[in-house]
Structure formats: C-alpha cells, structure tokens
Amino acid sequence: MNFLEERIIKDGGVKSNTILKVDSFLNHQIDTDLLNEIGKEFKKRFDGKPINKILTIEASGIGIACITALHFGVPVVFAKKSKTSNIGNDLYTAEVESFTHNEVRTIIVSKDYLTENDHVLIVDDFLANGRALKGLISVCRQANATVEGIGIAVEKGFQNGGRIIRELGYRVESLAIVDSMNAETGAVVFRDQEIY
Amino acid sequence: MNFLEERIIKDGGVKSNTILKVDSFLNHQIDTDLLNEIGKEFKKRFDGKPINKILTIEASGIGIACITALHFGVPVVFAKKSKTSNIGNDLYTAEVESFTHNEVRTIIVSKDYLTENDHVLIVDDFLANGRALKGLISVCRQANATVEGIGIAVEKGFQNGGRIIRELGYRVESLAIVDSMNAETGAVVFRDQEIY
C-alpha cells in the first residue's frame, strides 16, 4: 500500500458500498502535509511532460491543485461552477452532472487563462463517473490546449469514469483506486497498481 | 508598496469603482508562488500565536488556506456552502449573504473538525462587507474555538467589513487594503499600513 491507501485505511470511513468518507483529511478538513505528498507524487509520475498549467474544478480540487502546482512551478486555473458578477463573458463552458449534489451545473473557465499554448495537468480529489473530468477535458479541447495527463487522489474503480477516460486515450494516474468497499465490515479493497 | 500591492497594480484591473479584477493571479487563475509569499507573510504576522488550524470558506479561499497551512504545519478546514450527500448531520451552520452571487447561503462546518481545543487563523482572499467572515467567526463561536486572528489578501477598505470585524475585537491582517479605485483612470489607492 502507498501513503494514500494507508491513510484511507487508517482515517477513511465506508459510509455505504459506494460512499467513502475522507473528509477528515481530504475534502473538508485537509491534511496539507498529505496534499504535499500527493503533489510530490504527481510531479514524479508526470516528470518530463511539458506541463505549464494545473487545471481543476472548485471546490475540493483546489487544495490539491495549488499544492501540486508548487511542485511543478506553474499556475493553477480552477473551473468555476456558477457565473459570478466579475468574471467577464469570454468563457469556455461545459455541462457537468454532480454525483454528490445530484444536479447539473455549468462549469466555466475564462478564455484568458486557457489557450492553445497550454500543456495541462488536470487534477482532482475524486474520480467516480468521470463527469467532472469530461467537463474539464471539454474545456481544454475548446481552448485547443493539450491535456498532458490527469492526476487523481482517489478513484472509485467500481464506477466507470476511470475506464471511460482511459479509453479516450488519456493517461490517468490515480494514487488510490478503490475496487470495492463493504459498509458492514468497513473493508476497502484497492486495485494493485504498477508503481512508476 | 508590498509584493501584493505591486502585483495588484501590475496585473489587477479596475472594472468599476467597487469591483477589482484579480482573477489572473488570485481567484480564477492562481499564481501559487504569490500564494506562497502570502502564506509566508501570514506566518510572520501571526508568529507566536498558538494556531493549530486554518479555517476558510469555499471556493477561492481554499488555495490561500492550504498554502498558508504548509507554513504553519497545521490542517485546513473549509466551510462548505451547501450540504452534500456525504458530510453527515452534526454541523455548525451560519447564514452568509454573498456579494458576488447576490444570494444568501448556509455555510456548514462539521462538528468533528472544529472544537473548543482549536486555535484558529481564519483566512480568505477578499474582505468587503465582512459577511463571510462573520459566518466563519460565528461557526468558531458555536464550537467554542478561539479565533487567534484573521488573514486577508485583499481588503476593500471603502466597504465596512474590516472596520466592523476589527471593532468586534478581532485582529485582521489584510496584506493590501484598497481605499479607493477609479474605473476611468484605473487608479488604485492603497491604505498606508504599519509593517510588522
């Protein structure tokens, strides 16, 4: 097991056979030392790629993105989930259905901050059905930016997002892939992954 | 001028006499080296305080909070703006009116992650009317946590939030206080502040 899998076993909670609770260290309270390890690991796995921008989506992706960006020495852009009064009108948009909120939202990225010159690492805390990722990929395609890879903290391997995104040809590095969970026993089964 | 004031002059935009555009480096695209300087400065200004937790509110506060937390070596908790399916029911809540979204939202923090043992530094990117801050302070009071201070990147000094929060007895450190802006000339006037 790697550091993230060990932390999930230690501090995660299996709320149901599909809901993994990691809000004590990843998406409500945040252990920034853990995020630092995650950022370091993404840098190692995507080393040599000409990444000049980290793209994520609000809200819980922002912490991982910012600390990962420190390791790459590049800026972050985060897609916003609703239009605010001061963002301007020249926007890339995509429709994203939220698993946790059970609603469809438009995500937006200003055209000023994503262009054909960008080589993007997309990062997020969770990958489940892949809808957020597809929205971020769509925004990159609209900008003619290059997606160099996708870094995920926790992938729900029993949902089909990871398979779909990989079949589209994208390299997805998920630091922990949960293949199954059992709410009765609290057991979490991780997928064996080759370590780079 | 300090590093943040210089950056606002260089890359900020005055959209109206009340709206300052900093989304090229602070709240849409994020310059994480700048956030690192902001975190270092908060650490310097609140050095010696027994801070064991950084509290912020989603979304744009999260980046500053996480990188600041690295300098303090403590975890972040971010208040959420809506209830998701996996957060639990044991919550502190406060009502916050949003300036940019023009609506009232309930912010929530799980009781698991804020307690009477916490000595909190509240951080956010912007301080205008102070409503978000009042919500975060309310959540700390409900938890009987101690607010050791408040660190803000950009304060709109021509709105009354900073004055109100300081009059309540809280120490607010804003790295840049904008006292006035002029949309016609693009001029930004900063408040002179004593440097610690």
Side-chain angles (χ1 to χ4, degrees):
Chain A
M1 284 200 292
N2 67 25
F3 66 94
L4 183 58
E5 293 165 336
E6 282 171 5
R7 186 61 178 271
I8 291 167
I9 295 297
K10 181 170 167 279
D11 292 327
V14 180
K15 294 256 293 179
S16 75
N17 290 356
T18 57
I19 296 182
L20 178 67
K21 195 173 156 73
V22 292
D23 65 0
S24 70
F25 57 95
L26 199 59
N27 54 18
H28 183 23
Q29 182 166 254
I30 300 175
D31 178 342
T32 51
D33 290 331
L34 181 76
L35 260 49
N36 209 23
E37 289 306 308
I38 290 172
K40 206 180 293 178
E41 183 65 24
F42 286 152
K43 174 66 181 158
K44 202 169 83 183
R45 295 196 185 194
F46 292 100
D47 203 29
K49 296 275 184 188
I51 290 160
N52 71 336
K53 199 159 278 181
I54 309 282
L55 179 67
T56 190
I57 184 168
E58 68 178 19
S60 49
I62 296 175
I64 294 180
C66 283
I67 291 182
T68 297
L70 286 178
H71 290 275
F72 282 85
V74 303
V76 167
V77 172
F78 68 91
K80 302 196 177 203
K81 281 181 182 159
S82 65
K83 193 173 166 180
T84 56
S85 59
N86 53 0
I87 195 172
N89 291 312
D90 226 13
L91 305 170
Y92 300 115
T93 66
E95 301 292 317
V96 172
E97 196 179 330
S98 166
F99 174 73
T100 37
H101 292 85
N102 196 25
E103 65 186 16
V104 177
R105 289 177 173 185
T106 302
I107 67 166
I108 57 178
V109 172
S110 165
K111 290 187 180 177
D112 289 339
Y113 308 128
L114 199 61
T115 74
E116 60 187 5
N117 299 318
D118 284 323
H119 292 256
V120 176
L121 177 65
I122 297 173
V123 310
D124 208 354
D125 56 342
F126 262 93
L127 165 55
N129 55 42
R131 287 178 187 139
L133 270 190
K134 277 187 268 185
L136 293 173
I137 289 168
S138 164
V139 157
C140 287
R141 290 177 62 97
Q142 292 170 51
N144 291 312
T146 305
V147 177
E148 293 288 347
I150 297 164
I152 300 293
V154 184
E155 177 178 337
K156 291 179 171 177
F158 53 88
Q159 291 190 244
N160 61 8
R163 184 178 55 73
I164 290 168
I165 303 289
R166 289 182 182 94
E167 283 177 1
L168 288 171
Y170 295 97
R171 177 169 160 205
V172 181
E173 292 285 337
S174 299
L175 302 193
I177 303 180
V178 177
D179 266 340
S180 67
M181 301 186 289
N182 186 317
E184 272 179 45
T185 65
V188 178
V189 178
F190 295 106
R191 188 174 303 174
D192 271 332
Q193 297 192 75
E194 228 176 299
I195 302 297
Y196 283 79
Chain B
M1 283 200 295
N2 68 26
F3 65 96
L4 183 58
E5 293 166 335
E6 283 171 4
R7 186 61 176 272
I8 291 167
I9 296 296
K10 181 170 167 278
D11 292 327
V14 180
K15 294 257 291 179
S16 76
N17 289 357
T18 58
I19 296 183
L20 178 68
K21 196 174 155 73
V22 291
D23 65 358
S24 70
F25 57 94
L26 199 58
N27 54 18
H28 183 23
Q29 182 166 255
I30 299 174
D31 178 342
T32 50
D33 290 331
L34 181 75
L35 259 50
N36 209 24
E37 289 306 306
I38 291 172
K40 205 182 294 179
E41 183 66 23
F42 286 152
K43 174 66 180 159
K44 202 168 83 183
R45 295 196 186 193
F46 292 100
D47 202 30
K49 297 276 184 187
I51 290 161
N52 70 338
K53 199 159 278 181
I54 309 281
L55 179 68
T56 190
I57 184 169
E58 67 178 18
S60 48
I62 296 175
I64 293 179
C66 283
I67 291 182
T68 297
L70 287 178
H71 289 275
F72 283 85
V74 303
V76 167
V77 172
F78 67 91
K80 303 198 176 200
K81 281 179 182 158
S82 64
K83 191 170 169 184
T84 57
S85 59
N86 53 0
I87 196 173
N89 290 314
D90 226 12
L91 305 168
Y92 300 115
T93 65
E95 301 292 316
V96 172
E97 195 178 332
S98 166
F99 174 72
T100 38
H101 292 86
N102 197 23
E103 65 186 16
V104 177
R105 289 179 173 183
T106 301
I107 68 167
I108 57 179
V109 171
S110 165
K111 290 187 180 178
D112 289 339
Y113 308 128
L114 199 61
T115 75
E116 60 187 6
N117 298 319
D118 284 322
H119 292 256
V120 176
L121 176 65
I122 297 174
V123 309
D124 208 353
D125 56 342
F126 263 94
L127 165 55
N129 55 42
R131 287 177 187 139
L133 270 189
K134 277 186 269 185
L136 293 172
I137 289 168
S138 165
V139 157
C140 287
R141 290 177 62 96
Q142 292 170 51
N144 290 314
T146 306
V147 178
E148 294 287 347
I150 297 165
I152 300 293
V154 184
E155 177 178 338
K156 290 178 172 177
F158 52 88
Q159 292 189 247
N160 62 9
R163 184 179 55 74
I164 290 168
I165 303 290
R166 288 183 182 95
E167 283 177 0
L168 289 171
Y170 295 98
R171 177 170 159 205
V172 181
E173 293 285 337
S174 299
L175 303 193
I177 302 180
V178 177
D179 266 339
S180 66
M181 301 187 288
N182 186 316
E184 271 179 45
T185 64
V188 177
V189 177
F190 295 107
R191 188 174 304 174
D192 272 331
Q193 296 192 76
E194 228 176 299
I195 303 297
Y196 284 80

